[in-house]
Amino acid sequence: MKRAVYPGSFDPVTYGHLDVIRRASEIFDVLVISVLNNKTKTPLFSVEERVKILKEATKDIPNIQVDSFSGLLIHYAAENHIHVAVRGLRAITDFEYELQIAQTNRKLSDGRLDTMFLTTSLEYAYLSSSSVKEIASFGGDISQCVPDFVAELIYEKYRVGARE
Ligand code: PNS
């Protein structure tokens, strides 16, 4: 059984992530999407909310599991007997950052965790969770960026924020 992990913040999941998820799910027997619980950041959605959103957004793909992790990816991967991490590459600007993480993980894990990159489909190459949040925070249209139910949840966060 070939299993891989797709780690990330997914705050929120975008069509770019979902494109990588769908394509990786066709390569591996099981794809574990794991949300990083990063205590140094203040996310828009809690880890629990992001896990729930990812489960809903991927409910039609049978070989997906959604989970979360804290700490180092190499420790999480080892605990779960996973040897491949999947990441999406949108543009050359992602490359340096991703290369550094991939090489660090390979070195720290003594070669037990490798990284496989999927190049994001061109139609999603411009997408990022940060820009989706910025557009939504000013009431812009994010219907091309995230599924409708995710867009609603994002707008709701900013509506609640504005009332507080
Ligand atoms: O969606 P993101 O925020 O670009 O994902 C980054 C992520 C989660 C893949 C990366 O930050 C990560 O794996 N963090 C866990 C901590 C870790 O293992 N760091 C070592 C690599 S430098």
Side-chain angles (χ1 to χ4, degrees):
M1 222 13 163
K2 210 66 196 139
R3 283 151 51 84
V5 58
Y6 181 17
S9 303
F10 304 107
D11 185 41
V13 67
T14 67
Y15 279 135
H17 297 125
L18 289 169
D19 172 51
V20 171
I21 289 169
R22 185 188 50 74
R23 287 159 55 206
S25 75
E26 288 167 10
I27 297 169
F28 294 96
D29 297 311
V30 176
L31 180 69
V32 182
I33 307 167
S34 204
V35 177
L36 174 67
N37 188 357
N38 186 345
K39 299 207 168 75
T40 64
K41 278 192 189 170
T42 311
L44 185 61
F45 292 100
S46 70
V47 171
E48 294 73 24
E49 287 172 321
R50 282 178 272 162
V51 166
K52 203 168 158 209
I53 290 170
L54 277 160
K55 281 186 179 164
E56 176 63 24
T58 59
K59 66 179 182 205
D60 296 331
I61 311 176
N63 56 334
I64 298 283
Q65 291 170 10
V66 185
D67 194 11
S68 62
F69 75 106
S70 308
L72 291 181
L73 180 64
I74 53 158
H75 293 154
Y76 173 80
E79 281 158 21
N80 289 279
H81 311 287
I82 293 174
H83 303 287
V84 182
V86 171
R87 293 283 290 169
L89 275 182
R90 286 167 302 189
I92 201 76
T93 42
D94 282 343
F95 186 72
E96 209 173 324
Y97 169 68
E98 293 295 340
L99 188 70
Q100 190 190 6
I101 296 181
Q103 285 176 334
T104 305
N105 284 337
R106 190 143 188 280
K107 182 83 184 154
L108 281 179
S109 68
D110 285 328
R112 280 187 282 271
L113 183 64
D114 231 319
T115 304
M116 197 186 85
F117 294 107
L118 290 180
T119 51
T120 305
S121 300
L122 281 181
E123 58 194 302
Y124 304 125
Y126 67 97
L127 264 182
S128 76
S129 297
S130 316
S131 55
V132 168
K133 285 182 278 195
E134 186 167 6
I135 297 165
S137 72
F138 292 111
D141 179 7
I142 52 171
S143 60
Q144 312 270 314
C145 310
V146 296
D148 289 349
F149 84 94
V150 181
E152 253 327 298
L153 292 168
I154 299 169
Y155 288 130
E156 181 57 24
K157 285 275 179 194
Y158 287 115
R159 276 198 291 271
V160 170
R163 282 201 294 268
E164 279 170 2

